Amino acid sequence: MKPTKVKLHKQSRILELDFGGQLFQLSAEYLRVHSPSAEVKGHGPGQAVLQFGKKEVGIRQLELAGNYALKIYFDDGHDSGIYTWDYLYDLGKNQESYWQAYLDALQAAGKSRDPDTSVVKFIG
């Protein structure tokens, strides 16, 4: 399924996708931490690398990859993920559950969405 409209809102760091009336607004942070690249997903099951400190990341540029995907250039230098239309649709459709799973993984790892921030647990 290919979107009928793709719009980048640079100031709010939102990528808006319209899939035939189903409108998804995906933040740059959400797209960055769910990048389909090997750097994020790994090269096999169980090799994913938790991304953190990406709260302020933005999108520098979008580029069509053939007729099937977008290549997204983030301002933190990441640009190796090819986001197929199907993958973007899946990210939009399941945004709430994927985002909550990401927040849970951050908490479990003691990591933060904020750059240069570490979570410290006090035992006492």
Side-chain angles (χ1 to χ4, degrees), residues 34-53:
H34 288 92
S35 171
S37 69
E39 175 189 326
V40 175
K41 294 285 186 198
H43 292 281
Q47 294 184 357
V49 178
L50 180 64
Q51 303 296 298
F52 57 91

Side-chain angles (χ1 to χ4, degrees):
M1 176 180 280
K2 186 176 178 181
T4 54
K5 188 193 302 184
V6 176
K7 192 174 193 177
L8 175 60
H9 301 275
K10 280 197 171 189
Q11 191 168 354
S12 62
R13 299 188 304 267
I14 297 289
L15 180 65
E16 188 176 298
L17 301 159
D18 187 341
F19 285 92
Q22 280 190 287
L23 190 65
F24 301 123
Q25 294 186 332
L26 309 177
S27 72
E29 179 188 15
Y30 178 69
L31 290 165
R32 175 63 179 85
V33 302
H34 288 92
S35 171
S37 69
E39 175 189 326
V40 175
K41 294 285 186 198
H43 292 281
Q47 294 184 357
V49 178
L50 180 64
Q51 303 296 298
F52 57 91
K54 302 299 180 186
K55 186 176 183 178
E56 303 300 325
V57 76
I59 296 173
R60 281 189 303 114
Q61 171 183 340
L62 299 174
E63 185 178 287
L64 280 175
N67 199 26
Y68 69 97
L70 273 182
K71 182 167 181 167
I72 301 176
Y73 295 84
F74 294 93
D75 62 10
D76 68 351
H78 182 73
D79 64 3
S80 59
I82 302 292
Y83 294 75
T84 65
W85 301 130
D86 288 343
Y87 186 64
L88 287 166
Y89 181 82
D90 180 60
L91 286 176
K93 194 84 170 149
N94 297 293
Q95 186 172 6
E96 191 174 317
S97 63
Y98 289 167
W99 185 247
Q100 189 58 56
Y102 171 67
L103 294 177
D104 292 346
L106 279 179
Q107 185 175 8
K111 301 290 184 184
S112 172
R113 293 176 55 214
D114 293 306
D116 304 321
T117 300
S118 295
V119 177
V120 178
K121 294 182 182 177
F122 293 99
I123 301 170

